[in-house]
Amino acid sequence: MKTQRCCSLAQRVIQTKKITGTLFGMESIQTMIKDKHYEVRKMLSKERKEKVIDLCQELIRVQSYSGQEGKVVQVLKRNFDDLGFDDVIIDGYGNIIGHIKGNKPGKKVLFDGHTDTVAVTNPEKWMYPPFAGEIHDGKIYGRGASDMKGAVAAMVCAAANFAEDSNRDFPGDIYVAGVVHEECFEGVAARAVSERVKPDYVIIGEASELNIKIGQRGRGEIIIETFGKACHSANPEKGINAVYKMAQVIQAIRTLKPTQHEVLGDGILELTDIKSSPYPGASVVPEYCRATYDRRLLVGETKESVLAPITELLEKMMKEDPQLKVKASYSIGKEMCYTGNEIHGERFFPGWLYDEEEEFVQAVYKEIKAMGFNPSITTYNFCTNGSHYAGEAKIKTLGIGPSKENLAHTINEYIEIEQLTSVTECYYGVMKALLK
């Protein structure tokens, strides 16, 4: 794969430069060759490849479930300091932000990667220890390798490489953020990052196999509650069974037609759990039932517009059935940060989408393409911190990350070393494209 890319680069250099006579070697091709239309970037040196691999392994070896990111944040702080970042901030939630300042005023580019991972429930089922970061067959194995400690390592190293090669002679600022609580609260902790940095551009590092992502469906967590009347189950006619009422509601909700978007698809509404009270209900007709729905959000949908058809349906049902008492609302999430502060908010994370012809999208695409990569421009199939940056704050945002989307949260999670080193090069290209 790499040989083919190098050959492709060589051919284009030859064509562009119209070289005659004796052809120079591949080592010369991989050095910087500039004219006003074309540039071939220097490939990662062996030392730089080893650095990003080592950092990825070091991050994987530190367990960092949501709310327990403190130790991995300290690893990042040490690396920010060692690599010469100008300043490092850890905020009240525990997000860490490394900053490199250019010698000239310009745009701010923020690289966003989350430091938390989902839990490992059965480590004995893994081929290799989930917190060892072992390398086998060109892959680094471990929890968070793909989602998304590999990308975080690449962001840190790419920023340091760019600063070193340019001698900081570029306009603008580079920020690398290690964000907490993304796995359970997409975008909420990121609000504190964007408020502090106020970036012009955000790069999300979630897995994309080096393709450019310009949007995603968002996610809302909707709670449906029915209220009945408890009684002894030997005399059910004396009560109102909240579960039976919920069953009717669930069937009615299934008749609602999903909203649609030509790019993002359907705004699906899917039942994910149901609970009754009292539980266990020994000889008691349940007086309360709660159902949770996952609603995938499309561009432009608001909290009000999403709930409106559900609320209208429920009001109609209550008019037809005087015994039915039901309401819909958004789930309120509360999580404790490793710093001791609480993070909370409604679970409503907007969708977002940019046109692929947007200037900043095309600038990144053309730069990465010129580097010998062949990215597609598409959208994420899952929710990311982009829900805040693009969906709420309207900051120009795109995603590009290493590895496959379907490796996240899996047993035997891994990242391919070729993807890890390649995305480090791509992030370097992003900075070249946007910091001009």
Side-chain angles (χ1 to χ4, degrees), residues 182-193:
E182 189 275 346
E183 292 292 359
C184 53
F185 244 167
E186 302 98 322
V188 177
R191 292 171 184 162
V193 175

Side-chain angles (χ1 to χ4, degrees), residues 23-282:
L23 295 180
F24 47 83
M26 187 59 65
E27 185 176 336
S28 298
I29 293 173
Q30 292 177 350
T31 60
M32 289 290 193
I33 302 171
K34 296 182 180 179
D35 61 28
K36 64 181 181 181
H37 298 300
Y38 194 86
E39 180 176 290
V40 179
R41 62 136 175 86
K42 184 179 180 181
M43 298 289 188
L44 280 184
S45 66
K46 180 181 177 182
E47 181 182 3
R48 287 181 172 180
K49 285 182 179 180
E50 290 175 350
K51 174 59 184 175
V52 72
I53 291 168
D54 288 347
L55 179 53
C56 179
Q57 290 178 290
E58 187 176 11
L59 296 175
I60 290 169
R61 288 169 183 152
V62 180
Q63 181 180 303
S64 56
Y65 299 156
S66 300
Q68 302 172 30
E69 304 94 339
K71 290 182 180 179
V72 82
V73 164
Q74 289 305 312
V75 171
L76 284 173
K77 183 180 186 306
R78 173 168 48 77
N79 278 274
F80 282 141
D81 292 338
D82 291 346
L83 290 169
F85 279 65
D86 294 311
D87 52 82
V88 181
I89 294 168
I90 300 174
D91 67 19
Y93 288 149
N95 299 314
I96 183 168
I97 308 168
H99 174 217
I100 294 174
K101 187 171 184 61
N103 292 336
K104 308 167 191 174
K107 302 291 187 181
K108 297 177 181 179
V109 176
L110 170 66
F111 289 88
D112 172 280
H114 62 84
T115 54
D116 62 323
T117 74
V118 296
V120 173
T121 54
N122 294 298
E124 66 276 3
K125 290 187 177 181
W126 286 60
M127 290 191 300
Y128 309 108
F131 299 106
E134 292 182 9
I135 296 176
H136 299 275
D137 300 320
K139 302 168 184 174
I140 306 174
Y141 284 83
R143 174 56 81 223
S146 177
D147 185 26
M148 56 175 295
K149 292 181 175 182
V152 171
M155 290 171 172
V156 173
C157 293
N161 295 345
F162 186 81
E164 181 181 7
D165 291 349
S166 65
N167 198 28
R168 284 177 164 73
D169 188 24
F170 63 87
D173 297 82
I174 302 164
Y175 295 87
V176 178
V179 182
V180 300
H181 271 303
E182 189 275 346
E183 292 292 359
C184 53
F185 244 167
E186 302 98 322
V188 177
R191 292 171 184 162
V193 175
S194 68
E195 184 178 346
R196 180 181 291 274
V197 173
K198 296 178 172 56
D200 297 286
Y201 306 103
V202 175
I203 309 302
I204 302 292
E206 297 279 8
S208 74
E209 294 186 271
L210 311 184
N211 293 310
I212 296 171
K213 302 293 186 175
I214 56 171
Q216 61 164 77
R217 289 184 297 186
R219 184 173 73 87
E221 196 170 288
I222 297 174
I223 302 299
I224 307 293
E225 296 171 285
T226 54
F227 304 89
K229 180 181 177 182
C231 68
H232 198 290
S233 58
N235 303 293
E237 72 281 357
K238 297 184 182 297
I240 299 173
N241 193 313
V243 175
Y244 288 158
K245 296 301 182 184
M246 181 63 78
Q248 296 169 11
V249 170
I250 289 170
Q251 284 302 113
I253 286 176
R254 293 191 70 183
T255 68
L256 294 174
K257 292 184 178 180
T259 53
Q260 294 180 318
H261 188 277
E262 60 182 0
V263 176
L264 297 178
D266 289 347
I268 61 173
L269 180 64
E270 187 67 17
L271 177 66
T272 56
D273 70 45
I274 184 167
K275 300 177 181 178
S276 64
S277 179
Y279 181 83

Side-chain angles (χ1 to χ4, degrees), residues 222-224 249 253 256 269 303-319 324 326-330:
I222 297 174
I223 302 299
I224 307 293
V249 170
I253 286 176
L256 294 174
L269 180 64
K303 293 178 183 179
E304 294 76 19
S305 70
V306 169
L307 275 188
I310 299 173
T311 302
E312 182 181 343
L313 173 65
L314 299 183
E315 288 175 351
K316 180 176 180 291
M317 293 181 70
M318 284 190 285
K319 286 180 181 178
L324 175 63
V326 58
K327 74 171 186 177
S329 61
Y330 289 103

